[in-house]
Amino acid sequence: SVTSTLLAATLVLIVAERFLEQFQPWTHVAFRATAILGGLAGSNAGLLIKTPFQFLQIALMFLPFNLVHIWLELWWVALEDDCVGLSSAGVYFAGVLRCCLVMLVFVMIALSLLLTG
């Protein structure tokens, strides 16, 4: 099933991330994306996403959102004068809130497309 495949891919990517630190943030993004899509596939259980094609549409729509979010985060980090501040709790939680905002926008758009289509 899609859910078990994405779960297995997520586990492999979590382990691989430890060995591929030089490619950050891309390895982290890869496991985060597979985990989110796996969770979406698993939690939906055919209630809202009725066909594999609809799931593919949502997955393909997720890619640009994820890439734009990465670009914005890299831009935001570039605005910081020193990277030492990035490890502080306030800066970390601000990043978490930005991520949640991006995901909320994605979910709202995805739901509106699914409910109207």
Side-chain angles (χ1 to χ4, degrees), residues 51-63 106 113-114:
T51 66
F53 182 70
Q54 283 182 324
F55 180 77
L56 180 63
Q57 288 175 316
I58 296 300
L60 291 176
M61 188 179 78
F62 179 74
L63 181 63
F106 168 74
L113 290 174
L114 288 170

Side-chain angles (χ1 to χ4, degrees), residues 13-29:
L13 288 168
I14 288 171
V15 172
E17 182 184 22
R18 305 288 177 228
F19 301 101
L20 300 171
E21 285 294 323
Q22 69 269 23
F23 299 109
Q24 292 293 355
W26 308 112
T27 54
H28 183 78
V29 169

Side-chain angles (χ1 to χ4, degrees), residues 69-100:
H69 180 229
I70 293 166
W71 179 80
L72 288 172
E73 288 297 322
L74 290 173
W75 174 74
W76 187 267
V77 168
L79 292 178
E80 297 288 325
D81 287 334
D82 65 50
C83 289
V84 175
L86 295 176
S87 61
S88 70
V91 175
Y92 176 79
F93 286 119
V96 169
L97 288 175
R98 287 191 303 271
C99 182
C100 289

